[in-house]
């Protein structure tokens, strides 16, 4: 991709995503993400009318006078995106590849964050950390990150979600909203994903190409594994193979959805041939409804 082509694609994504953000998505975003709650600020001496549940007993014992904890509401939000850029992200059975859809999803969410004056950070990973930038504000920052997603040439084609999550958990001790965008075609990341969900507001976005979840009924196809280069020839007319293939992908998606439910993370599945914008808006509305019901 030439620099001119890159700039043209970035501008296209910007035009495609910023208008719906300003017209539709900004309000849905604010409803879905309220902020990270409250942060401990300090202690002060107890006053009549204070909630006794806020008493800091260690300070009270040390000073001999009752003290209460003070908290400060955190209105500013930070979003961190962990994006899988392994070999399978560059697969696409149509004009667009999965990485192109991922860039659009990122842009839509990041512009919504920028519209709300929130911070956006990014980690691009394969089986190693390919790129990291800490959360910052502003539309220019978002444009730079979109360019980075599209222009990056990963050093590795393999995937290690567990390693990426462990790295993120170590560098980001402060609570934030964490989006993990991947096809989740990996193993042994469940425990670390659970650790991430305990400390952060976690959303897993499962991106698939339609050819990964469906198969034609006829024809001989040659498949190359995008991550290890293995070649396999498949006769799609073989009913047993086709049904087994589709069943495995259904199991993988169901297992991922169940895992997210069990660890109290959100799960969003988006396919390359779907209207990703309406799926994200629907996700925000469902999340807002859950928050309202919980009150």
């Amino acid at each position: 991709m030439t620099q001119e082509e890159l700039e043209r694609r970035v501008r296209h994504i910007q035009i495609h995503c910023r208008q719906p953000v300003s017209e539709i998505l900004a309000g849905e975003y604010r409803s879905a993400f309220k902020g990270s709650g409250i942060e401990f600020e300090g202690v002060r001496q107890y006053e009549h009318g204070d909630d006794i549940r806020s008493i800091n007993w260690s300070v009270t014992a040390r000073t001999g006078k009752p003290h209460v904890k003070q908290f400060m509401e955190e209105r500013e939000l930070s979003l961190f995106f962990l994006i899988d850029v392994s070999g399978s992200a560059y697969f696409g059975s149509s004009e667009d590849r999965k990485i192109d859809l991922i860039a659009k999803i990122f842009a839509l969410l990041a512009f919504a964050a920028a519209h709300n004056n929130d911070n956006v950070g990014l980690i691009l990973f394969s089986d190693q950390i390919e790129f990291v930038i800490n959360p910052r504000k502003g539309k220019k920052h978002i444009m730079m990150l979109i360019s980075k997603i599209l222009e990056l040439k990963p050093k590795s084609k393999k995937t290690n979600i567990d390693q990426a999550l462990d790295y993120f958990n170590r560098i980001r001790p402060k609570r934030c909203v964490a989006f993990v965008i991947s096809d989740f075609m990996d193993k042994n990341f469940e425990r670390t994903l659970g650790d991430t969900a305990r400390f952060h507001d976690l959303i897993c976005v499962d991106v698939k190409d339609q050819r990964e979840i469906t198969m034609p009924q006829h024809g001989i196809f040659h498949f190359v594994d995008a991550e290890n280069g293995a070649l396999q020839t498949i006769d799609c007319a073989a009913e047993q193979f086709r049904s087994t293939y589709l069943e495995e992908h259904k199991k993988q998606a169901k297992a991922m959805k169940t895992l997210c439910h069990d660890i109290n993370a959100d799960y969003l599945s988006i396919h390359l041939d779907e209207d990703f914008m309406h799926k994200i808006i629907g996700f925000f509305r469902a999340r807002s409804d859950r928050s309202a019901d919980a009150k």
Side-chain angles (χ1 to χ4, degrees):
M1 188 189 310
T2 66
Q3 186 63 32
E4 184 179 351
E5 289 172 330
L6 174 63
E7 290 173 1
R8 186 169 62 248
R9 293 177 75 176
V10 172
R11 283 197 303 271
H12 174 77
I13 291 175
Q14 179 192 24
I15 293 167
H16 188 70
C17 293
R18 281 185 63 176
Q19 185 176 357
V21 164
S22 60
E23 294 181 356
I24 303 170
L25 195 60
E28 304 289 352
Y29 171 92
R30 282 192 296 272
S31 298
F33 299 104
K34 301 290 187 181
S36 51
I38 56 176
E39 185 177 46
F40 179 69
E41 189 175 27
V43 295
R44 61 168 173 79
Q45 196 165 328
Y46 176 86
E47 296 176 0
H48 179 70
D50 285 336
D51 189 341
I52 62 171
R53 291 174 296 181
S54 65
I55 291 177
N56 186 312
W57 294 106
S58 61
V59 176
T60 298
R62 189 168 65 249
T63 62
K65 296 179 180 179
H67 281 71
V68 294
K69 301 174 185 176
Q70 283 186 293
F71 294 90
M72 174 180 63
E73 185 177 0
E74 286 191 332
R75 299 185 182 277
E76 189 175 272
L77 202 63
S78 288
L79 276 67
F80 227 121
F81 291 82
L82 288 79
I83 294 180
D84 182 351
V85 292
S86 60
S88 61
Y90 296 85
F91 173 75
S93 59
S94 59
E95 184 178 346
D96 278 346
R97 306 161 299 168
K98 285 194 288 186
I99 194 66
D100 299 313
L101 174 59
I102 287 169
K104 292 174 184 175
I105 293 169
F106 168 80
L108 193 67
L109 295 168
F111 278 130
H115 192 87
N116 204 51
N117 203 34
D118 290 334
N119 299 281
V120 175
L122 178 66
I123 295 175
L124 302 178
F125 70 92
S126 53
D127 65 344
Q128 56 188 280
I129 304 303
E130 302 277 356
F131 174 79
V132 181
I133 191 164
N134 286 323
R136 297 177 189 168
K137 295 180 182 178
K139 293 181 175 64
K140 287 185 179 179
H141 174 64
I142 304 304
M143 294 291 287
M144 183 274 289
L145 295 183
I146 296 169
S147 296
K148 193 66 183 180
I149 293 169
L150 291 174
E151 73 180 352
L152 182 76
K153 295 180 180 178
K155 299 181 182 70
S156 174
K157 293 184 177 181
K158 298 180 180 180
T159 313
N160 192 325
I161 297 174
D162 181 76
Q163 178 179 277
L165 290 168
D166 181 66
Y167 174 81
F168 170 69
N169 292 341
R170 286 187 283 109
I171 69 164
R172 184 68 191 186
K174 188 176 181 181
R175 182 175 173 82
C176 69
V177 178
F179 284 88
V180 180
I181 307 179
S182 173
D183 55 22
F184 295 99
M185 293 181 183
D186 195 16
K187 296 179 180 178
N188 303 320
F189 60 83
E190 295 82 1
R191 180 188 59 79
T192 317
L193 194 73
D195 292 341
T196 307
R198 276 192 291 276
F199 291 107
H200 303 284
D201 184 357
L202 177 64
I203 300 99
C204 295
V205 184
D206 191 349
V207 176
K208 294 286 197 302
D209 182 276
Q210 53 270 26
R211 186 56 70 215
E212 294 173 319
I213 56 175
T214 61
M215 185 172 286
Q217 294 186 356
H218 304 286
I220 303 295
F221 289 84
H222 303 288
F223 290 89
V224 178
D225 190 305
E227 298 193 11
N228 61 30
L231 177 66
Q232 187 175 10
T233 301
I234 296 171
D235 181 2
C236 294
E239 178 62 33
Q240 181 62 44
F241 177 84
R242 194 168 65 250
S243 61
T244 301
Y245 176 88
L246 298 178
E247 188 60 34
E248 283 300 314
H249 279 279
K250 287 180 182 177
K251 284 181 181 178
Q252 189 262 348
K254 185 178 180 180
M256 190 64 206
K257 189 174 183 179
T258 300
L259 171 63
C260 287
H261 178 270
D262 291 344
I263 64 175
N264 199 29
D266 283 320
Y267 174 78
L268 176 60
S269 173
I270 302 179
H271 300 159
L272 204 58
D273 60 342
E274 291 183 310
D275 186 334
F276 72 95
M277 195 178 304
H278 281 85
K279 289 213 74 171
I280 290 173
I281 291 171
F283 164 72
F284 280 176
R285 287 176 178 167
R287 186 182 168 101
S288 299
D289 290 344
R290 289 201 306 272
S291 298
D293 292 341
K295 290 181 179 179

